[in-house]
Amino acid sequence: MSAAGTARETPAEVVARLRAAFRTGRTRDLSWRTDQLTRLRAMLTERGDALAEALHADLGKSRKEAYRTEIDFTVREIDHTLERLAGWLEPEPAPVPAVLAGATARTVQDPLGVVLVIAPWNYPVQLLLAPVAGALAAGNTVVAKPSELAPATSAALARLLPEYLDGDTLTVVEGGVPETTALLAERFDHIFYTGNGTVGRIVMAAAAKHLTPVTLELGGKSPAFVDRDTDLKTVAARLVSGKFLNTGQTCVAPDYVLTDPETAPALTDALAAAVEEQFGTDASQSPEYGRIVNERHFDRLVGLLDSGRTVTGGAHDRDTKYIAPTVLADVAPDSPVMQEEIFGPVLPVLTVDGLDEAIGFINDRDKPLALYAFTESPGVRERLLAETSSGGVGMGLPLAHLTVSDLPFGGVGESGMGNYHGRYSLETFSHRKAVLDTPLG
């Protein structure tokens, strides 16, 4: 366990210390909030290379990818918040009924108190620090729990965060299941968890004992529908870019593709060509292609490779945790690759007779974190929006909706609850308090 500015503490001591700091009231000041966000930004810009090296050690991420998807991504989120935070915190007036003439009503954003942020291993910088930034912007104290499955990044964050941030109001706790379990036994005012549904249920059950609200950012099998008569070269390039970023270890990566039987052969050929164009004939030699996080996930993914006909890829090396970008055709709906979120560089292509069957296919399964569609038809877009449910929708480009800070990011159903980014982070980590002021005279 690593705690900023303290000796080894128990979880109860950490929470008590942070709660005492919160009760001093200093985290409520706008100047404190902006100062902490500015310090966090400085850490990312001044020590970005150290974080990029850790990300390469854990996931094989290139320096370019580390900055684009983690470090710079979080800096932009902080900048967006710093620019607008004062306005977001302004009380919002509300009209009052005639019977209360003379009274005024408003809502104010109240900090919650002590927040726990539990991060995953796939984007271990961004998915820890973006919610931490939101919690600090809202005026809370924070326990930050990096993922033990990205040990180099966890160690770097535990070392760097105390150098830059107020150690009385933010503490980093490292460790695995025992440490996380011990933390979850404490009473927090909000728990923000990013990861899988199995652990999400554990987090929610622990939070229920204290009636602690939770945000669960989970995942699921995010479908991509490719309509007939689309520009398949463009579609394939965008699918490959989104799917194989971070070696497919992205919660909103396109998980599988639905298209009609006539389009499927040309699409799979285009996908194979796009893989070669992006990563070369041997992706293991590409500096922009990473590795699987550990042997357990490697073995799981290798077990999915026989779920269809290999169009491209399939090569793998356990010693280096390398799996080539793989596209599978002739995939059956009940095949192993369709039974769980893939979370790796395997893209199955399934055929459906048309839009009706595609919508039915999607709706017969858990609600995904994202739905992607490639179509020129406004009617197809409207039907997919109206007749399916997902955390978010990307028309024509996977993953990009995450980069729009004014859009909420979150799931629905099995893919999660609650959302964040930009103003939605402030809402998540605050209580919108109703205030009615009625004159006595």
Side-chain angles (χ1 to χ4, degrees):
M1 183 177 294
S2 170
T6 69
R8 185 176 289 267
E9 293 175 291
T10 67
E13 289 168 339
V14 169
V15 174
R17 178 169 56 80
L18 293 174
R19 197 171 301 284
F22 177 75
R23 286 175 176 168
T24 66
R26 75 175 189 266
T27 67
R28 292 177 174 270
D29 291 341
L30 177 61
S31 60
W32 180 89
R33 304 183 197 200
T34 57
D35 177 62
Q36 294 304 297
L37 291 174
T38 303
R39 289 169 180 265
L40 185 59
R41 187 189 194 284
M43 185 195 84
L44 289 163
T45 56
E46 294 170 8
R47 310 300 283 276
D49 284 354
L51 293 170
E53 288 170 11
L55 290 165
H56 185 267
D58 287 329
L59 291 152
K61 289 192 184 188
S62 69
R63 185 178 186 277
K64 178 181 175 183
E65 183 176 324
Y67 270 89
R68 178 165 62 96
T69 66
E70 303 234 32
I71 298 161
D72 289 346
F73 181 101
T74 311
V75 168
R76 288 195 304 273
E77 180 75 7
I78 292 170
D79 287 344
H80 181 86
T81 301
L82 282 170
E83 184 178 339
R84 296 162 175 80
L85 183 57
W88 291 343
L89 291 172
E90 285 291 319
E92 293 189 14
V96 296
V99 70
L100 292 174
T104 58
R106 65 189 185 278
T107 61
V108 296
Q109 297 279 25
D110 231 8
L112 294 174
V114 185
V115 167
L116 171 62
V117 176
I118 305 174
W121 53 262
N122 60 325
Y123 290 88
V125 172
Q126 181 213 135
L127 295 179
L128 181 73
L129 298 186
V132 163
L136 294 172
N140 300 288
T141 59
V142 184
V143 175
K145 170 63 182 67
S147 174
E148 73 278 9
L149 298 182
T153 308
S154 178
L157 290 165
R159 182 179 74 252
L160 294 174
L161 282 167
E163 291 183 22
Y164 282 82
L165 297 185
D166 180 350
D168 290 330
T169 56
L170 182 137
T171 295
V172 180
V173 174
E174 290 192 276
V177 172
E179 289 79 9
T180 304
T181 302
L183 279 173
L184 288 171
E186 299 302 316
R187 181 177 69 82
F188 289 90
D189 298 290
H190 195 94
I191 299 174
F192 189 105
Y193 168 77
T194 305
N196 62 64
T198 300
V199 179
R201 286 171 168 81
I202 295 170
V203 170
M204 196 168 182
K209 294 177 182 176
H210 301 290
L211 293 180
T212 298
V214 297
T215 300
L216 301 180
E217 295 291 345
L218 309 178
K221 296 183 75 64
S222 296
F225 174 73
V226 178
D227 204 0
R228 55 172 56 89
D229 300 326
T230 55
D231 179 350
L232 293 183
K233 183 177 181 181
T234 297
V235 170
R238 292 181 182 183
L239 278 171
V240 164
S241 179
K243 174 64 180 184
F244 299 115
L245 179 72
N246 196 27
T247 329
Q249 299 168 120
T250 303
C251 59
V252 287
D255 189 274
Y256 62 92
V257 177
L258 296 175
T259 193
D260 62 87
E262 293 75 27
T263 303
L267 175 60
T268 53
D269 288 347
L271 287 166
V275 167
E276 183 171 340
E277 184 172 339
Q278 184 156 336
F279 301 110
T281 55
D282 181 3
S284 69
Q285 302 302 308
S286 170
E288 294 303 318
Y289 189 71
R291 297 298 182 265
I292 306 305
V293 67
N294 57 33
E295 286 82 3
R296 181 170 68 86
H297 282 283
F298 175 91
D299 293 340
R300 178 185 62 81
L301 288 163
V302 168
L304 304 179
L305 293 175
D306 293 330
S307 295
R309 175 173 59 85
T310 303
V311 177
T312 187
H316 50 89
D317 179 9
R318 195 172 193 270
D319 289 341
T320 59
K321 300 191 289 291
Y322 166 76
I323 299 178
T326 300
V327 177
L328 301 178
D330 307 329
V331 176
D334 59 353
S335 63
V337 78
M338 291 303 295
Q339 302 310 304
E340 60 184 46
E341 182 181 6
I342 297 169
F343 221 70
V346 184
L347 182 62
V349 178
L350 294 86
T351 58
V352 289
D353 284 341
L355 182 61
D356 287 346
E357 189 173 330
I359 289 171
F361 191 97
I362 293 164
N363 288 339
D364 284 343
R365 287 153 178 81
D366 291 334
K367 296 177 180 181
L369 186 55
L371 181 146
Y372 302 114
F374 299 85
T375 179
E376 300 289 348
S377 168
V380 171
R381 295 182 184 203
E382 289 169 12
R383 285 197 61 194
L384 285 168
L385 280 174
E387 297 177 33
T388 66
S389 177
S390 59
V393 175
M395 297 290 185
L397 185 62
L399 277 60
H401 61 292
L402 272 73
T403 66
V404 182
S405 292
D406 284 319
L407 284 177
F409 174 66
V412 60
E414 286 285 325
S415 58
M417 62 179 68
N419 52 52
Y420 72 120
H421 286 177
R423 180 163 191 160
Y424 300 97
S425 291
L426 181 71
E427 297 278 353
T428 286
F429 292 112
S430 302
H431 166 61
R432 184 172 284 281
K433 185 161 63 177
V435 181
L436 179 69
D437 191 344
T438 308
L440 294 174

